[in-house]
Amino acid sequence: MTKRNGEIAWAPDRRLKGVERALLPNGLTLLLAPLPAAKKTVVMLGVRVGSASEPRRLGGISHFIEHLAFKSTPRLSCAEMARRVDALGGSLNAFTDTVATVFELRAPSATVTRGMPILFESLVNDHFDRREFERERGVVLTEITGNLESPDDYARTQLYLPALFGEAPFARPIDGRPEVVERLTVAEVRAWKARHYRPENAVLAVAGSCERAELDDAIGVTFARWRGRGRGRGSGRGSGRGSGSGSGRRAIERWEDMAQVYLMLGVRTPSHRSRDASALALLSAVLGLGPSSRLFRLLRDDRGIGYDVIAEWESLGPAGHLVAAIPGFDPARFAEAERLIRRELARLTTEPVPERELDKAKALILAGHDDAVESPIFHAESLIYREILGLSDDYRDLKPRIDAVNPVRLREVAARIFQRPLTLAALGPRDVEW
């Protein structure tokens, strides 16, 4: 039965017990996760546009707009905006990924609704102060330069992902390339916002313990008045499978003045929408989650190769990848490290993981999930992405999906994934043989 508070018609979500939803006349989807024990409330707005939606000539524009979010508006200066949010005991934040740009207000539940007009005004603002625009361009360029000068970031974004996925938009750097960001104009930024920043192309999620009547009133004077000016609706799922992509490729680059080598060895996988998602998460946990994981024990503890060893399964929208990485180690051990990683991945395709080892990986994943569920940020972000990506599972109820994976199932998925040629990326010293 639909419940009404003020002018918003809230109804129970059919698949998420305890969560409510509403659809405003302007097309904006509202999602509410009441958390009575939470002292803070998070208000999060996700727009269905990210780096995967961008043409190459505008690569990085979504991230640039994220940086411009909390700058001066015709009514509020940047400094006054920050002062008002600080006075509420709150904070503003934003981030960009392949499928969404997300804006967040976090504050004590008693004051959070008073910050919502600031969040809304920042979102819809397109009257950019020219000096602030140029200053923020400089900030973004500094961020890009820092990433390009970081060996592990460079190996991932400039070598590994392009080698694995080719020209797929979702594999490009989210922050863009310097030569593109340097020439982005105010007119291009305004046009991008007008096209994508529309209520029917966004989701507003609230998680916490704020008063319902105050929330409805705050939405009524802010997001309910949002009017879009663009066309159509984004899918939020990224685009393209990649052309000229290179499973099995080796992307190797050498730099001057480097003492260590950075190695990444990975393979394409299905995305989070796949029925294999839980098995893929467990494969990465068996390989690299915790100091008793296979690669950590083999490479660091038994062989002394590298300070850290990573295994990660990541979904980038329409596709995913599973990667093993060693961020910095002796170049003389490069061939040995590659051989050992390949051996462990191959072993997963033929030998079922023992029950005890699999139970340990499950326990680690579920413990991390249980910690996250206590945070309003986790609930708001999960609601946003569940809606944008069209997922159907209850994000809070991970245990049945993890427990359903047994050693036989895990080996089947490993055999299917690791039968594909692995892609290798490495960045190391120019003047040392490796």
Side-chain angles (χ1 to χ4, degrees), residues 63-83 85 92-94 103 117-140 143 189 193:
H63 176 255
F64 192 17
I65 289 173
E66 170 219 313
H67 271 256
L68 295 169
F70 307 120
K71 301 306 176 186
S72 298
T73 71
R75 191 179 69 89
L76 289 175
S77 70
C78 178
E80 178 63 14
M81 192 181 299
R83 187 196 67 78
V85 174
L92 293 167
N93 197 12
F103 305 88
I118 297 173
L119 179 66
F120 175 68
E121 190 167 329
S122 301
L123 176 76
V124 299
N125 176 54
D126 66 356
H127 297 281
F128 304 111
D129 178 276
R130 294 280 181 165
R131 289 171 296 181
E132 288 184 350
F133 188 94
E134 292 304 325
R135 280 198 296 267
E136 204 58 32
R137 188 201 304 273
V139 170
V140 173
E143 179 183 354
V189 168
K193 287 197 73 172

Side-chain angles (χ1 to χ4, degrees), residues 285-318:
V286 166
L287 287 167
L289 182 58
S292 66
S293 60
R294 290 189 176 191
L295 291 180
F296 194 95
R297 283 190 295 109
L298 174 65
L299 294 167
R300 176 176 164 156
D301 290 350
D302 295 349
R303 304 296 182 104
I305 299 177
Y307 174 77
D308 197 11
V309 180
I310 298 166
E312 178 188 28
W313 174 61
E314 181 185 26
S315 180
L316 297 172

Side-chain angles (χ1 to χ4, degrees), residues 281-289 292-293 353-368 402 410:
L282 280 164
L283 280 173
S284 68
V286 166
L287 287 167
L289 182 58
S292 66
S293 60
V353 174
E355 288 276 6
R356 184 175 179 181
E357 185 180 6
L358 183 56
D359 287 345
K360 179 205 66 179
K362 290 179 179 181
L364 285 170
I365 289 177
L366 293 174
I402 291 294
L410 196 66

Side-chain angles (χ1 to χ4, degrees), residues 389-421:
L389 296 168
L391 305 178
S392 58
D393 291 328
D394 188 332
Y395 66 90
R396 301 162 298 186
D397 199 13
L398 181 63
K399 192 174 188 303
R401 301 194 296 278
I402 291 294
D403 284 346
V405 181
N406 59 34
V408 174
R409 170 76 176 143
L410 196 66
R411 189 196 64 78
E412 290 173 349
V413 173
R416 188 161 61 251
I417 297 302
F418 294 130
Q419 72 178 355
R420 303 166 185 168

Side-chain angles (χ1 to χ4, degrees), residues 261-371:
V261 63
Y262 293 74
L263 170 65
M264 303 187 77
L265 193 62
V267 66
R268 293 189 198 181
T269 71
S271 74
H272 46 251
R273 297 175 59 81
S274 167
R275 60 187 291 269
D276 293 335
S278 295
L280 289 165
L282 280 164
L283 280 173
S284 68
V286 166
L287 287 167
L289 182 58
S292 66
S293 60
R294 290 189 176 191
L295 291 180
F296 194 95
R297 283 190 295 109
L298 174 65
L299 294 167
R300 176 176 164 156
D301 290 350
D302 295 349
R303 304 296 182 104
I305 299 177
Y307 174 77
D308 197 11
V309 180
I310 298 166
E312 178 188 28
W313 174 61
E314 181 185 26
S315 180
L316 297 172
H321 67 103
L322 197 157
V323 62
I326 311 177
F329 64 101
D330 183 352
R333 311 290 299 275
F334 176 79
E336 180 186 5
E338 179 188 353
R339 176 178 56 80
L340 291 171
I341 293 173
R342 288 183 181 274
R343 188 187 76 186
E344 283 304 307
L345 299 185
R347 181 180 161 206
L348 286 169
T349 70
T350 58
E351 301 177 13
V353 174
E355 288 276 6
R356 184 175 179 181
E357 185 180 6
L358 183 56
D359 287 345
K360 179 205 66 179
K362 290 179 179 181
L364 285 170
I365 289 177
L366 293 174
H369 178 76
D370 289 344
D371 288 342

Side-chain angles (χ1 to χ4, degrees), residues 140-178:
V140 173
L141 288 170
T142 299
E143 179 183 354
I144 295 173
T145 300
N147 291 336
L148 291 175
E149 293 179 352
S150 165
D152 45 354
D153 286 339
Y154 186 94
R156 180 183 187 277
T157 63
Q158 308 299 314
L159 300 178
Y160 170 70
L161 289 177
L164 187 63
F165 292 112
E167 293 297 314
F170 60 80
R172 298 174 192 158
I174 291 170
D175 50 5
R177 300 191 181 279

